[in-house]
Amino acid sequence: MTSRLLVRGATVVRPDGRTGADILAEDGVIVALGRDLVAPPDTVEFDATGLHALPGAVDTHVHFNEPGRADWEGLATGSRALVAGGGTTFGDMPLNNLPLTLDGPSFDEKAAIASQVSQADFALWGGLIPGNVNALPELHARGVIAVKAFMSDSGLPEFPASDDYTLLRGMEVAASLGMIVAVHAESDAITRGLTGATREVGRRDAMAWAASRPVLAETEAIARAIHLAEATGARLHVVHVSSGRGAVLIAEARARGIDVTSETCPHYLTFTDEDVARLGAIGKCAPPVRDAEERARLWAAVASGAVDMVVSDHSPSPPSMKEGDDFFAMWGGIPGVQTTLGTLLEEGPAHRLGLETVVKLIAFGPSRRFGLTPAKGAIVVGADADLALVDMRDRRVVTEESLQYRHPQSPFIGRTVRGRVVRTFLRGEVVAEDGAPVGEPRGRLVRPNRA
């Protein structure tokens, strides 16, 4: 039996503009866009007058930590937070869970769990570490959207940093497959050396942590990764770029014809190192949040189009891992999957980001880069009916009670966000209402469109 949804009277937002239109979906796929559409009598209608229809956010960088560490978050609670914030698809990273997603069987295990408990559609990443280069073809065959490598210590001994030879071999194999290699770009030599020197003089505070991982460590690693990608012909993606200088390096390489993209995260656009010193461990991440001058450079890169996407890098942990007086020893990771859209809608206008640009950064950009178009990332005929209906007149303060995470902690608590997500639709079905998930889990695995 065909299911139909008609969203009537919304302001539809796409990267190329916005228009008033009805959206008609059949069996979860958009089949018509236009004014005063007529649908059969059995169609479910939703009056969206006064609301903006955005494509569901595609957050391709999350750590939901299942299997193995679901007590940190879990695929169920993480996906519930995503849909509450207007997201409909996520890409789960290969580390923090046990087993690591390093081969075909580990991919299958995570996909099976997510298919049972996820409130949103999902894609999976594979890992690249010393010793598993030969497993990249089987990960590619399973449908990973990319493989991720660390160029510095990941903080998890089971996921060691990739030396230059591993990156070289991994990129050679990935290039032969057309697969993307993503890097956490910080120089291991620089960060390790500065960390040791800082701790030797007794510094344990947040500003010392930031100083031990300077922008130079990021730009050096980015330049090295770009050089390897150029030599091998690999497709490169640099995750969570924290500095405007790093974003410009990547944009310049792309202008030279190298296939490289970048992402940044809301916490790098919102906070400064001084904020982290005030917030404490909840603001710790790697690379660290930068000073106000570097944040301004990053905003300028985002506004200019040098940055391809904004994703959360949602990396939660139990509160006990954020305790103590040694900032270096605390877990580094910021939960943010529920607040990405609201933060960009609030902060973006001051930096020349219109709604069309926000849609490009949180939906179309990640979908296009990781091969999830045409099904995901845009409101067009033939795409999945993944929609966030947003009341742009609403502004509210993030509270602990509003967060759907397993551990409702976040540096965004107390900050104002814009846009109440009135409804989130996944393939034409309501999965969240007014910031709360509803219904049974219905997420599906999505794989890259190899074309």
Side-chain angles (χ1 to χ4, degrees), residues 204-285:
R204 302 287 188 272
D205 56 281
M207 296 300 276
W209 158 262
S212 74
R213 308 180 84 92
V215 171
L216 173 63
E218 180 172 69
T219 55
E220 189 280 335
I222 288 173
R224 189 155 32 98
I226 288 171
H227 186 59
L228 289 169
E230 184 175 23
T232 59
R235 306 172 68 199
L236 176 65
H237 180 70
V238 184
V239 299
H240 51 50
V241 176
S242 67
S243 65
R245 282 175 278 179
V248 168
L249 266 181
I250 295 162
E252 290 173 346
R254 185 162 60 243
R256 298 198 308 271
I258 300 170
D259 189 350
V260 55
T261 50
S262 67
E263 66 184 45
T264 192
C265 309
H267 40 276
Y268 296 122
L269 297 170
T270 303
F271 303 107
T272 67
D273 54 356
E274 293 181 352
D275 292 322
V276 175
R278 172 180 53 84
L279 288 163
I282 194 63
K284 181 185 176 182
C285 59

Side-chain angles (χ1 to χ4, degrees), residues 299-356:
W299 266 117
V302 171
S304 73
V307 176
D308 299 274
M309 63 194 78
V310 176
V311 293
S312 70
D313 189 12
H314 179 79
S315 186
S317 66
S320 60
M321 297 179 68
K322 291 282 193 181
E323 295 174 352
D325 57 6
D326 183 349
F327 206 82
F328 286 78
M330 299 168 183
W331 177 255
I334 291 179
V337 72
Q338 190 175 333
T339 49
T340 298
L341 172 61
T343 298
L344 279 187
L345 293 177
E346 175 67 18
E347 304 290 340
H351 301 276
R352 298 182 290 117
L353 260 64
L355 271 176
E356 294 85 353

